[in-house]
Amino acid sequence: MVAPKLSSYPVYRPAARDLWDAEIKAAGATPAIIDERVAVATLRFMTRTFPRLGRLAILVGAGGNGRQAQALAERYRRTGVHVTIVRPEDAPDAEDLRGHDVLVDGLIGTGLHGPLRASVRDLAARAMASGRPVWALDGPTGLDLGTGGVADGVLRAHYTVFCAGAKIGALTGAGREFCGETMTADIGVPYPARHLCALVPGDADLGALVNPRPRHMHKGDAGTLLIAGGGLGMPGAVRLAATGAYRVGAGLVIAAVYEMYAAVLGGAFPECITFAAEAPGLPWGRAHVLLVGSGLGRGDWGSALWSRVRALGLPMVVDGDALYWLAQEPESRPDWVLTPHEGEAARLLGVTRDDVAADRPAAVAQLQHRYGGVAVLKGAGTLVAGGDATWLCPFGNAGMATAGMGDVLAGAIAGLMAQGLSGLAAARLGVFAHARAGDLANGSGPARGLLASDVAARLREALGVWA
C-alpha cells in the first residue's frame, strides 16, 4: 500500500448561514447562489462515482440543507435523471427507497440541535434499511458536526460533501464512522476564519519537521531516551515503546524496568540498554528526554517510579499508567506531552468517557489548558493540541485497536523529541507517522489481526514519506 500524498487544509466548527453573511456578500454571492454552487459541485462529485444514474431519491429537510438538496434535484432533472423528493412526513418504506439507485441526505446537515424528531429518525432508519448508497450534504443527519456527537437514529452516509470547508465532527471520533468518503465543495466563498477549529498539516508541513542527517552523525547526535516502565507482567510495553523510538531515529534508548525483567529484556532486545529501575547506578543523567508510563502499573512500584521520574525535571512523554498517577496529583508543565485515550482523558478531566467522546475537540483543548505542554487525544481522528492550535490526523484504521499501539506511538513521539524536536513538533510528526504506519501495515487486509509490532516495523517507511 502506498501512502497517499497529503495536502494541508483547515477544519471548522459549523457556522449557521446567517453567521457568515459578511463573507458571502464580500464574495458577491447570495444564499441562492451558494445553494446552486453546492448543487453543481455535488453533482460533479456524484457523477464521478455514479455516472449512469437512473433514479435518485433526495431526502429534503426544512432548512438550508433542504434548499441545497432541492437545488441538486433541479440540476439532476435537467440531465434526465428521475428524481423523487422525499420529506419526513411522506414516510416512504424501505422498499420504496430501494427502487432508487442512490439516496441524497439533505435533511439536517449542520443544523442538528438536540435529538432527532421522530419523523426524521424514522426516515433515516428506512433509508439505511434500503441498502442504497447515501450521499450526505455537509454531514449525515444525526451527527453533530461541531463535536462529533451522535444522535439516536443517525443516518450513516457512504459519501459526504462539505460546503466550503471540512467539519471537525465528521473527522474525529465516531463521526468518521458515519461520513464515509469525504470531499469539499469549493463555492467561491471562504468559510469564516473565526470558526477554524483544527488543521490537517500537509506533507510539506510535516516534511519541514524532519531534519536531514549528515553523514558524520553518531548516535549521541540523535539523542538519548530513557523509558521508565515495564512493571510486573508488562515488560513488552517497554520493548514496543523502545522499538517505536528507534524506528523514528533515536540514537540510544535506555530502559528502567522491574528488576526481574532487566536481563530478559536486554537479551531479547540488544539495542536497548536495560537496567533495574531500583538500581542505584541508573544513568538518569544521560537522558535528553524521558518516557514514563509504558507498563508502569498502578501499584506501589509504579507510584514510586513515577514520583522519581517526574522530579528529574526533564522533558517527557507521559503515557499509560503514568496518566493515572498524574490524575491523582495534577500539575501543569510546559515541557511534556500527554498521550491519553478517551478513558484516560476522562480521568484527567474528572468527567466520563462518554463526555469526552461527545466533544473530542473541547476535551483535548481542556487537557492542554489544564496540564500544559501538548495534549494528544488518541482514537479515530487523533487530535494534537499545543500552543494556540489543534491538529487533526485523518489516517489510521480500526485494526489499530489492539494492545501496545499506544506504547509504539509514545515511543515514536519521545524518540523524535530526543532528536531535538519540540514536544509539539514531535507529537504532530509522531502521530502522523504512527497512523500512516498503521495503514501501511494493514494494507488492503481486514481491519483485524494487526499487531503493534507490525506497526512499529513500518514506522521507518512511514516517516520516509517526509524525510
Side-chain angles (χ1 to χ4, degrees):
M1 176 181 177
V2 177
K5 285 294 183 182
L6 179 67
S7 299
S8 58
Y9 59 89
V11 181
Y12 300 91
R13 284 191 183 271
R17 179 74 63 82
D18 58 358
L19 295 180
W20 50 308
D21 276 344
E23 287 84 355
I24 293 173
K25 291 176 181 176
T30 65
I33 290 174
I34 297 300
D35 294 341
E36 184 66 16
R37 289 175 180 174
V38 171
V40 170
T42 303
L43 187 148
R44 184 171 62 251
F45 289 137
M46 291 179 65
T47 301
R48 291 175 188 169
T49 308
F50 300 99
R52 294 182 179 84
L53 284 180
R55 295 175 61 85
L56 179 66
I58 299 186
L59 316 185
V60 176
N65 201 238
R67 292 194 302 272
Q68 293 170 1
Q70 288 177 317
L72 178 63
E74 291 304 314
R75 278 279 168 177
Y76 259 114
R77 282 173 176 148
R78 294 175 204 170
T79 69
V81 173
H82 182 277
V83 178
T84 302
I85 296 292
V86 181
R87 302 180 188 279
E89 57 270 21
D90 296 337
D93 59 29
E95 189 59 39
D96 293 333
L97 296 174
R98 195 173 292 123
H100 297 79
D101 302 311
V102 172
L103 310 181
V104 173
D105 174 11
L107 291 170
I108 294 181
T110 60
L112 180 67
H113 301 288
L116 296 176
R117 300 195 325 269
S119 59
V120 173
R121 190 170 61 248
D122 291 346
L123 179 54
R126 292 179 178 124
M128 286 190 292
S130 73
R132 299 293 86 192
V134 176
W135 283 75
L137 298 182
D138 228 11
T141 293
L143 176 66
D144 188 320
L145 292 171
T147 67
V150 178
D152 183 35
V154 61
L155 175 51
R156 186 187 302 269
H158 299 85
Y159 308 89
T160 296
V161 180
F162 298 124
C163 174
K167 308 306 186 297
I168 186 72
L171 300 178
T172 189
R176 289 185 59 175
E177 187 75 21
F178 294 97
C179 290
E181 182 181 346
T182 61
M183 56 217 77
T184 300
D186 181 358
I187 59 171
V189 179
Y191 213 76
R194 59 188 174 278
H195 287 272
L196 178 67
C197 184
L199 296 168
V200 176
D203 287 319
D205 301 312
L206 295 166
L209 303 178
V210 183
N211 296 323
R213 288 193 154 190
R215 288 184 177 273
H216 63 275
M217 187 173 186
H218 60 82
K219 68 176 182 288
D221 297 327
T224 298
L225 168 67
L226 194 150
I227 303 175
L232 189 61
M234 295 180 285
V238 170
R239 177 168 182 169
L240 288 168
T243 303
Y246 270 130
R247 289 297 184 185
V248 298
L252 178 64
V253 179
I254 301 171
V257 300
Y258 200 71
E259 184 175 11
M260 65 185 293
Y261 299 133
V264 175
L265 184 59
F269 194 175
E271 296 89 347
C272 185
I273 299 175
T274 310
F275 294 87
E278 303 87 349
L282 192 64
W284 299 101
R286 293 183 63 181
H288 298 106
V289 173
L290 302 171
L291 164 55
V292 58
S294 300
L296 183 65
R298 300 182 184 179
D300 292 342
W301 183 87
S303 176
L305 186 55
W306 163 245
S307 296
R308 184 178 183 183
V309 169
R310 75 189 298 186
L312 293 173
L314 290 171
M316 72 171 90
V317 175
V318 184
D319 185 50
D321 286 328
L323 295 167
Y324 169 84
W325 294 113
L326 176 59
Q328 311 309 308
E329 296 182 73
E331 69 170 299
S332 177
R333 284 180 49 170
D335 61 346
W336 60 16
V337 177
L338 311 184
T339 58
H341 55 55
E342 289 181 356
E344 292 162 339
R347 183 178 294 110
L348 288 165
L349 293 173
V351 299
T352 69
R353 184 170 191 152
D354 287 344
D355 291 332
V356 173
D359 194 342
R360 285 171 53 86
V364 75
Q366 290 166 15
L367 283 167
Q368 197 276 330
H369 177 74
R370 184 174 300 185
Y371 291 93
V374 179
V376 176
L377 182 55
K378 298 183 292 194
T382 292
L383 296 168
V384 179
D388 297 323
T390 299
W391 287 264
L392 183 146
C393 178
F395 300 121
N397 59 82
M400 298 174 74
T402 188
M405 288 291 175
D407 297 307
V408 174
L409 173 60
I413 294 172
L416 291 166
M417 288 175 65
Q419 295 171 73
L421 289 186
S422 69
L424 181 56
R428 290 166 58 196
L429 188 58
V431 163
F432 274 71
H434 179 261
R436 259 186 162 158
D439 288 342
L440 289 167
N442 194 56
S444 58
R448 63 189 72 218
L450 199 61
L451 298 180
S453 53
D454 298 333
V455 174
R458 304 301 290 269
L459 271 173
R460 186 165 175 253
E461 181 183 354
L463 194 62
V465 172
W466 307 297

